[in-house]
């Protein structure tokens, strides 16, 4: 494991990276992935990909400004409760995504809390409420 890459990502990150995530990357490896397949008609294929930590940690507001939760003018007009949606979006600014499911959903750490709980971000939550 390249500890220098982890330290570089931590020092350049716009959002704080908690020690628990740094330990996770140090233990399993930065950019780790594996996959498997099985034989038969009803087979499953799965893979596990952990992005490089430098790719998870935004380094500036420019890295995240395209995300809805970083758009101060977004009105959440399609949400059932626009005020709650806006409050949720503001909380999400402290979330650090560390595992992407490939469909836009991802697992995040809430860096505003310590210890940082793991949260599931369903990317289209604000589309319909």
């Amino acid at each position: 494991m390249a500890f220098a890459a982890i330290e570089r990502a931590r020092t350049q990150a716009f959002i704080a990276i908690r020690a628990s995530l740094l330990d996770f990357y140090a233990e399993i490896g930065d950019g780790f992935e594996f996959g498997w397949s099985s034989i038969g008609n009803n087979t499953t294929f799965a893979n596990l990909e952990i992005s490089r930590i430098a790719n998870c940690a935004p380094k500036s507001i420019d890295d995240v400004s395209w995300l809805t939760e970083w758009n101060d003018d977004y009105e959440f007009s399609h949400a059932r409760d626009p005020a709650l949606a806006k409050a949720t979006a503001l909380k999400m600014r402290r979330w650090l995504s560390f595992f992407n499911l490939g469909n836009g959903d991802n697992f995040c750490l809430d860096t505003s809390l310590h210890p940082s709980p793991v949260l599931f971000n369903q990317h289209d939550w604000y589309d319909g409420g």
Side-chain angles (χ1 to χ4, degrees), residues 1-118:
M1 177 67 237
F3 291 101
I6 292 175
E7 183 59 20
R8 192 169 42 256
R10 188 195 63 74
T11 59
Q12 295 176 353
F14 179 64
I15 296 174
I17 303 176
R18 298 277 188 217
S20 57
L21 184 60
L22 297 174
D23 292 344
F24 174 76
Y25 271 85
E27 183 177 335
I28 67 150
D30 196 7
F32 177 81
E33 73 178 82
F34 69 88
W36 60 91
S37 61
S38 58
I39 300 171
N41 291 335
N42 296 316
T43 61
T44 60
F45 175 79
N47 61 6
L48 174 64
E49 298 178 21
I50 306 294
S51 297
R52 294 194 178 280
I53 197 165
N55 298 340
C56 296
K59 295 169 193 62
S60 71
I61 190 68
D62 293 336
D63 289 350
V64 292
S65 61
W66 62 274
L67 296 168
T68 301
E69 58 268 24
W70 287 89
N71 182 349
D72 289 332
D73 297 328
Y74 193 80
E75 296 179 1
F76 296 93
S77 59
H78 297 292
R80 284 183 227 132
D81 184 343
L84 177 59
K86 182 64 174 182
T88 301
L90 291 174
K91 286 181 183 180
M92 290 174 68
R93 292 181 180 190
R94 305 304 298 166
W95 294 5
L96 178 65
S97 172
F98 68 92
F99 183 75
N100 189 329
L101 298 178
N103 64 352
D105 297 342
N106 51 59
F107 286 96
C108 305
L109 291 178
D110 183 347
T111 65
S112 68
L113 301 173
H114 186 70
S116 299
V118 174

